[in-house]
Amino acid sequence: MTSTPPHQSILDKPFVLDLFAGPGGLDVAGHRLGVPSLGIEWDKSACLTRYAAGLDTLHADVSAVRRESFESLPPEINVLAGGPPCQTYSVAGKGTGRKALEEVKKFIDRLMAGDSDEEIDKELQNLSDPRTALVLEPLRYAIQATRSPNRGHRPYDVIVLEQVPAVRALWDRYAEVLQEIGLPDGTTYKVVVDVLATETYGVPQTRSRAVLIARREGLGAPSLPEATHRAYEAREWNRRNGGVAAPTNQPTLYDAEVPEPGEGPAEDDGLEHWTSMGDALAEPVGTHPGRRTPFLIRSNYGSSGIPGRRGVRTDRQPATTVTGRISRFVVFESVGDRHPDVVREGSRFSMNEAGMLQSFPPDYPWSGKAQAQQVGNAVPPLFGAHLLSAALGLPAPTPATMRKPWVPATEEQRAKLRSHGCGTADDCTARCPRPE
């Protein structure tokens, strides 16, 4: 594990509590910035990855920690962060996602009004999907901090949240109540909310996220992180390059001459060219041997309503959104020189490569089961570093910040972390959440 020395920020000693921490995307960002963190994660395999990476972790249910053991959390935590599960907020289908959004807004208002946790918990049990209530947890933690004797009833100074674009409506409601109403103790925040594209921060994939950054009144108004790279425009790419044909038994890799990075419009905007899959994977680093041969990928879901096309992109484009399906992506590699006419089906991405497309450092120690799902569910660390930097007033990170190979924890360090996170050095205990 590698950390840079801490910088000055709006806080003397920032310390992050990462809710729904997953395998460590936001925690990796914090460590690269020199900001310590503690993650709470429900999934056993994600916790195994975190222990292997040397990340402080509680293998626990976020809701249960708030109800039963909040006073055991380090009182010096002053930054609240997280991305609650999002499955129930899809706006597709019959509108159940939209209905969930409206239900949760009402609970937000009630929490800010000081309604009892017991009464709210009782009513939340009537929701059709219990995961719907999890998006309330960051707010409930913020309120609980002001009630905590262990903290001296001190509110969190900074709040950083991210989720799928459909959750923006809830972040907007969070912003309204945090600014205009305040927590039940009267604490108010300055808040910014928007939907950001991760490739505009150097992440080698197209992924949109709804983000919220809040600072406690008196710490100055927050701002969103400034983009460092250009946005990827699929229509512009297809217009200039003629598109990319779907792989068949002998597909063409490039249907038209592809411009090198830096060519094209908007060269005077001061932004770098977006990072392609080839940029991220070409060079050897750590145990990654490098993937210099030109390639294209075909994802396992349709693209633009054309099932036969199946989300095809070349190594000169950013990846499509990395999800738990990344292990199923088919990689077609060149059989010729740099500008081949024919490719053949090659291998799948390794977990190391999949993680690098999420901007995880090379050699991140993916562990346990469902590793592809862990990769896909994670916050891209480079994007997370930009969010934390903007929230805390730190210098913006660079892609090179994440490029250094990650040094895994030693067996002794893993045992110590698991003793704290699970209760014993080599196994889960009764206090760990059960999968059911």
Side-chain angles (χ1 to χ4, degrees), residues 101-177:
L101 291 173
E102 294 306 314
E103 287 179 330
V104 172
K105 285 181 183 179
K106 294 177 182 177
F107 282 111
I108 289 174
D109 295 341
R110 291 182 57 189
L111 285 168
M112 298 300 275
D115 284 13
S116 74
D117 283 338
E118 293 76 12
E119 185 64 29
I120 288 177
D121 285 339
K122 182 179 179 181
E123 294 188 32
L124 286 172
Q125 293 176 4
N126 296 324
L127 294 176
S128 58
D129 190 320
R131 293 173 299 180
T132 300
L134 293 177
V135 78
L136 293 169
E137 285 300 332
L139 182 59
R140 302 187 82 171
Y141 266 73
I143 294 170
Q144 189 67 26
T146 67
R147 298 171 176 168
S148 168
N150 189 43
R151 293 181 54 83
H153 306 281
R154 180 171 49 86
Y156 296 118
D157 293 315
V158 173
I159 300 173
V160 180
L161 305 175
E162 68 86 43
Q163 231 340 309
V164 294
V167 177
R168 173 171 182 164
L170 293 183
W171 293 165
D172 284 336
R173 186 58 184 153
Y174 262 52
E176 290 175 10
V177 297

